[in-house]
Amino acid sequence: MSLLEVTHLKKVYTTRFGGNQVTALKNVNFSVEQGEYVAIMGESGSGKTTLLNILAALDKPTGGDVKLNGKSLSAITEKELSAFRRTNLGFVFQDFNLLDTFSLEDNILLPLVLSGCNYSQMEERLNMIASKLAICDILKKFPYEVSGGQKQRAAAARALITRPKIVLADEPTGALDSKASESLLKLFSDINADGQTILMVTHSTKAASYAKRVLFIKDGEVFHQIYRGEMTSEEMFEKISYTLTILTTGGELHA
Amino acid sequence: MRKGLFRTMAWTNIRNNRRFYVPFLLTIILTAAMFYNMCSVSQNPAFTGKEAIAMVLAFGVYVIGIFAVIFIFYTNSFLMKRRKRELGLYYILGLEKRHISVIMVWETLFLASSGIAGGILAGLLLDRLMFLAILKVFHYPVSVNYRIDPFAIRTTLLVFFAIFVLVMLYNIFSIQKSSAIELLQSQNTGEREPKTRWVIAVLGIVCMAAGYYLAVTTDNVMDALTKLFIAVLLVMAGTYCLFLAGSVALLKMLKKRKKYYYRTNHFVAVSGMIYRMKQNAVGLANICILSTGVLLVISTTVSLYAGMKDIVIARHPTEISVTFSDSSPGQNQLLEKALAETAEEIGVTLKNYSSYQSLALTFVERKNALLADSEVENPDAVSYDELAAVTMISADTYERMTGEALKLTDNEVAVCHEKGKLEETFQMMGETYTIAENLEKFPVSNEMARMTSDWYNIVVSSDEKLAEIDKMQKEIFTYPSSLRYEVQFDVEGGEKAVNALYDRLLQKLDETEGMPLYLVGNRYEFRTQNYLMYGSMLFLGIYLGSLFLMATVLIIYYKQIIEGYEDRDRYVIMRKVGMDKREIKRSVKSQIIILFFLPLGTALMHCAVAFPLMRQVLQAFYMNNTLLFAGVTVIVAGIFSVCYVLVYSITARSYYHIVS
């Protein structure tokens, strides 16, 4: 059984006065296995963010189903939803989404506090994660006192501290310079090597080239996918670039 | 063409920000209307010649004027803070600073003209109502004529126009000073966690404790009046310090206790409150002090007004009283004759007639002795706690008034007192007296007793003894008293008869040769004067009270809205991280409730502590009815709290609207 199964996912937005209907996702099918590192690519407006929001249970699909660990997201009641999100999913966002009124330490601990963990357990997990992500010395600082790369590390730590089944990352390198991006992507590869499943939405070829598998979305459907197999990052990068060119020029692909 | 553009832009600005401008405009209108009304009432020809009222009302005009300046500036700074970003955008889009200034001028013009015009219009409409209300509380019989007061209109126009010119200059200046980037980013600056300022926190606790201590421990009226001022200053300082530093210190202490802090319902609340307190401490302290002021002013003035009957009876136990100072028995007889003649002339009968001679002295009480001021080493340094008010009559007078005979030898006395410390044998002006009897009741009132902590009513052995003591006190005291002969009586036939008799008696005494220093009291005249005096105070109290309440309302409203915009992003993030909607709502609610009910709670606490002190102050005005005062205070506090809660719930709705 796959960790995440997406079948016939459909999402239609209706404009406010009910005039126009916009189809964001037409028919999306894919699955993610335990321990995978998947990148989803697509142009702006291709439905990436909608897909991620539905996977994150922040939005409800119009049709189709998402199963995490065999459990359908639509079967979860509104009340259980937040707890479900906390325990099963970890989030990394493009704009970090750290709370400026909390120190990095408190930002990282937030999901655990919300779950009602006891403090000694929190401390133990925090120390482990902080040393892994090399942010031990900035834990007491506030978000406005550290660089973008450090913020994103803290955000990653917040996502990982609950030991989620899957980490969902939305353009995690979008607001970072190339050096910070590279180090964050290396970090993702490392934690993936430790067995953490990661699903990343991006339109950076560079970011996607670190993933083990890349899915391409166009017009609300999965258009193509590339498995990394034995390829190096450079080879992967080239292949993704090639696919993107085809994608934008509108040609047919036969893989 | 370009001029028209700027005007349109200014107008659009105001319209798009109407959530902020509408309450502001309403405030301007109300403040201007109140200013106009106060001004026109104080100028009303009905009050010419009534100096006290004119003074109280003129005082009101000044207070409202000063208040309007502070308040309009305060609100303006709220608005500007929110608007800088948009002005920065204009700047980037190519408007020069002077163009922005032109827009500001137009905006001010729109606001000021509609606000002032609306205010004066509302003032004119309310004027008649106000005047009727005033006459009602004053018990002042005057025909109401509706009038438009050109002086009041001119003053209102001038004062408010000046305020707006200042506001405009301030706004233009602050825009000229700042760069475009500053304007654009002004909303994102300064989210630093506040530092704990222990010195200020401790200072706050000390001030508050000292103020409270003064309020609770003061037990005589004279002290109360002087200490009230100090206590008010101390408590105000304490409130500011504690709101500013004490709150942050407390929250930070909670944050340090990890086991407490890292719990679902404490975590978000504690850290959120630290920032809220940092941004709102001064505003909240303002609200708290304004509220306390409103509560105290209204409850005391209402009590004075409601307790008028008691006050009048306390001051004038009978309808008419005549007091002669240091009169001879012959003069006393002349008075009785004049009185009988007057009563006959007018054709009224007197009842409850009593006359007596008494001596009232204020001594310093030390070591079982009553000392005159000259017998004390440093009379200026004597504390009010040491003073004892003594009223003396002779055994003969006592027997005549009560029908009870007292057998007292030369230096024996009978004493009626409540809590005095004198022993059986005591000294008075160097002579030794023995208390032969303790009395339950005393027929003559002790006027000074309410001002001092101790008081004694003493019956001495004879009229001669009383005269002897009087002679002695005139020699010893630096400020001696006089032997008083008092005649008190009621008149058959009510107020009209009393006033007729009073007028005629005054005339008669004036005509009679060889009268001593005399004083004639008329209960009804006293009542009329008191209604005027306390009535104008009540009027001012309620008037200023509602003004302050309005200010409080507006501050709360703006605070809610601004908080709302700042919190919105924060709650979006929390939702994404896994906080559920109900938890968010609960956490917001608890923080907002603490934030807005902290000032009210503190104000109520201040009032409760101030109660004993205010009771003493009221006693200085002959208002002794503690139960009435307590009742009025509770009712006023209740009404105020209801208003507060109402405002809170209305503004809270717009807050949730923004957040969700």
Side-chain angles (χ1 to χ4, degrees), chain B residues 421-437:
Chain B
K421 297 181 276 285
L422 290 181
E423 289 163 25
E424 205 177 298
T425 338
F426 66 94
Q427 300 264 318
M428 179 165 68
M429 293 186 286
E431 269 195 70
T432 311
Y433 295 85
T434 314
I435 300 177
E437 214 170 318

Side-chain angles (χ1 to χ4, degrees), chain B residues 282-578:
Chain B
V282 176
L284 293 182
N286 283 338
I287 294 178
C288 174
I289 287 181
L290 281 180
S291 307
T292 314
V294 168
L295 287 174
L296 287 183
V297 168
I298 293 188
S299 61
T300 47
T301 47
V302 169
S303 296
L304 275 179
Y305 193 78
M308 193 76 85
K309 274 210 179 87
D310 298 335
I311 295 173
V312 169
I313 300 280
R315 280 300 293 279
H316 292 269
T318 56
E319 287 175 330
I320 289 191
S321 61
V322 185
T323 312
F324 273 18
S325 295
D326 293 323
S327 58
S328 67
Q331 286 171 322
N332 294 349
Q333 273 173 8
L334 268 179
L335 169 63
E336 267 158 53
K337 197 171 139 250
L339 226 132
E341 281 172 17
T342 318
E344 203 174 325
E345 264 176 52
I346 311 268
V348 293
T349 39
L350 312 182
K351 54 180 183 178
N352 305 329
Y353 183 92
S354 68
S355 68
Y356 59 87
Q357 195 163 41
S358 71
L359 179 63
L361 294 169
T362 304
F363 288 106
V364 179
E365 186 179 2
R366 268 181 196 167
K367 288 180 209 140
N368 198 33
L370 298 174
L371 306 172
D373 51 3
S374 62
E375 291 178 301
V376 184
E377 264 184 28
N378 189 359
D380 291 333
V382 171
S383 117
Y384 286 108
D385 283 334
E386 291 181 287
L387 296 182
V390 175
T391 294
M392 282 178 268
I393 59 172
S394 71
D396 303 332
T397 308
Y398 186 80
E399 192 181 340
R400 196 157 45 75
M401 294 182 82
T402 62
E404 243 176 89
L406 292 172
K407 289 268 176 289
L408 301 170
T409 59
D410 193 34
N411 273 13
E412 277 183 349
V413 291
V415 177
C416 170
H417 67 107
E418 208 169 51
K419 53 172 183 170
K421 297 181 276 285
L422 290 181
E423 289 163 25
E424 205 177 298
T425 338
F426 66 94
Q427 300 264 318
M428 179 165 68
M429 293 186 286
E431 269 195 70
T432 311
Y433 295 85
T434 314
I435 300 177
E437 214 170 318
N438 278 304
L439 302 173
E440 291 280 311
K441 277 189 184 158
F442 197 72
V444 173
S445 74
N446 187 334
E447 289 268 308
M448 284 301 288
R450 68 205 164 77
M451 304 292 244
T452 58
S453 55
D454 274 2
W455 53 266
Y456 301 95
N457 290 322
I458 297 176
V459 182
V460 298
S461 54
S462 62
D463 286 337
E464 291 72 34
K465 184 69 196 175
L466 191 63
E468 194 184 303
I469 294 174
D470 176 49
K471 212 174 140 199
M472 197 188 293
Q473 64 95 5
K474 286 206 165 71
E475 281 164 17
I476 298 182
F477 270 90
T478 320
Y479 301 103
S481 180
S482 52
L483 195 62
R484 295 194 308 174
Y485 179 72
E486 188 127 2
V487 176
Q488 299 179 325
F489 55 88
D490 290 334
V491 181
E492 201 87 58
E495 191 172 342
K496 253 198 185 131
V498 170
N499 285 335
L501 183 86
Y502 172 74
D503 291 341
R504 187 75 192 97
L505 184 65
L506 275 181
Q507 219 174 2
K508 196 129 199 162
L509 289 175
D510 196 36
E511 287 162 5
T512 315
E513 297 270 317
M515 285 282 105
L517 207 61
Y518 65 85
L519 192 78
V520 185
N522 173 346
R523 183 192 279 173
Y524 300 110
E525 200 191 71
F526 175 77
R527 196 182 60 185
T528 309
Q529 298 233 323
N530 266 23
Y531 268 126
L532 279 178
M533 189 65 210
Y534 295 158
S536 50
M537 271 156 66
L538 172 76
F539 180 70
L540 197 67
I542 291 182
Y543 206 77
L544 294 182
S546 34
L547 194 70
F548 289 162
L549 189 66
M550 188 181 75
T552 313
V553 168
L554 202 73
I555 295 175
I556 294 178
Y557 177 78
Y558 280 130
K559 285 220 169 302
Q560 289 268 43
I561 296 221
I562 286 181
E563 296 267 304
Y565 280 111
E566 278 173 5
D567 288 350
R568 186 163 57 182
D569 305 341
R570 232 166 268 154
Y571 285 110
V572 169
I573 296 176
M574 289 206 203
R575 239 199 112 203
K576 283 185 182 163
V577 175

Side-chain angles (χ1 to χ4, degrees), chain A residues 142-164:
Chain A
F142 282 80
Y144 54 82
E145 293 174 313
V146 300
S147 70
Q150 286 169 320
K151 276 189 220 176
Q152 199 58 297
R153 278 166 183 275
R158 181 179 63 187
L160 292 169
I161 199 160
T162 56
R163 297 177 180 160

Side-chain angles (χ1 to χ4, degrees), chain A residues 58 78-79 82-83 85-86 91 93 97-102 105-106 109-111 113-117 119 122 140 142 144-145 158, chain B residues 191-193 255 258-259 261-265 267-269 271-272 275 569-583:
Chain A
L58 287 168
E78 187 72 33
K79 271 187 184 168
S82 289
R85 212 181 288 143
R86 271 199 310 263
F91 298 94
F93 304 94
N97 277 352
L98 294 173
L99 292 162
D100 49 9
T101 55
F102 286 111
E105 178 183 4
D106 289 354
L109 289 178
L110 182 65
V113 175
L114 291 176
S115 314
C117 285
Y119 182 65
M122 288 183 208
K140 298 287 173 203
F142 282 80
Y144 54 82
E145 293 174 313
R158 181 179 63 187
Chain B
E191 267 307 329
R192 254 157 225 287
E193 191 178 48
K255 200 173 170 179
K258 309 243 177 213
K259 285 237 163 75
Y261 177 54
Y262 289 104
R263 294 260 292 281
T264 314
N265 39 354
F267 190 60
V268 180
S271 62
Y275 285 87
D569 305 341
R570 232 166 268 154
Y571 285 110
V572 169
I573 296 176
M574 289 206 203
R575 239 199 112 203
K576 283 185 182 163
V577 175
M579 195 171 183
D580 102 40
K581 255 189 183 162
R582 281 170 307 123
E583 279 172 339

Side-chain angles (χ1 to χ4, degrees), chain B residues 87-319:
Chain B
L87 295 175
L89 197 62
Y90 284 153
Y91 193 43
I92 303 282
L93 290 178
L95 286 181
E96 288 169 33
K97 274 183 181 173
R98 66 194 169 90
H99 297 147
I100 297 180
S101 300
V102 174
I103 296 181
M104 300 255 61
V105 172
W106 275 111
E107 278 184 25
T108 316
L109 206 66
F110 284 136
L111 268 183
S113 54
S114 48
I116 299 172
I120 291 177
L121 208 68
L124 286 171
L125 289 175
L126 287 172
D127 209 39
R128 194 185 165 89
L129 196 71
M130 281 266 303
F131 201 67
L132 277 172
I134 260 195
L135 296 182
K136 188 83 189 151
V137 290
F138 285 10
H139 289 247
Y140 194 60
V142 138
S143 62
V144 187
N145 51 331
Y146 183 74
R147 47 185 224 113
I148 292 170
D149 188 339
F151 172 80
I153 292 181
R154 220 170 36 234
T155 317
T156 312
L157 272 176
L158 223 66
V159 168
F160 281 83
F161 186 71
I163 295 176
F164 276 104
V165 168
L166 284 178
V167 165
M168 190 182 73
L169 290 178
Y170 171 81
N171 287 348
I172 290 176
F173 179 72
S174 70
I175 283 174
Q176 295 290 349
K177 221 177 48 178
S178 45
S179 71
I181 296 294
E182 263 169 41
L183 287 176
L184 273 177
Q185 291 180 341
S186 59
Q187 273 196 324
N188 303 328
T189 52
E191 267 307 329
R192 254 157 225 287
E193 191 178 48
K195 288 205 166 61
T196 314
R197 286 171 291 183
W198 283 110
V199 180
I200 298 180
V202 170
L203 195 74
I205 294 175
V206 170
C207 282
M208 194 86 115
Y212 274 15
Y213 179 80
L214 276 184
V216 175
T217 54
T218 307
D219 68 341
N220 71 73
V221 178
M222 294 313 284
D223 269 358
L225 289 172
T226 46
K227 282 183 185 164
L228 175 67
F229 186 64
I230 304 171
V232 165
L233 287 183
L234 279 173
V235 170
M236 272 173 79
T239 307
Y240 278 110
C241 292
L242 281 183
F243 271 75
L244 269 172
S247 57
V248 173
L250 178 75
L251 288 166
K252 284 226 166 170
M253 249 157 62
L254 289 180
K255 200 173 170 179
K256 285 231 174 72
R257 289 178 46 201
K258 309 243 177 213
K259 285 237 163 75
Y260 174 88
Y261 177 54
Y262 289 104
R263 294 260 292 281
T264 314
N265 39 354
H266 301 154
F267 190 60
V268 180
V270 169
S271 62
M273 282 304 288
I274 290 181
Y275 285 87
R276 284 176 205 272
M277 284 316 293
K278 177 195 169 197
Q279 290 161 355
N280 295 317
V282 176
L284 293 182
N286 283 338
I287 294 178
C288 174
I289 287 181
L290 281 180
S291 307
T292 314
V294 168
L295 287 174
L296 287 183
V297 168
I298 293 188
S299 61
T300 47
T301 47
V302 169
S303 296
L304 275 179
Y305 193 78
M308 193 76 85
K309 274 210 179 87
D310 298 335
I311 295 173
V312 169
I313 300 280
R315 280 300 293 279
H316 292 269
T318 56
E319 287 175 330

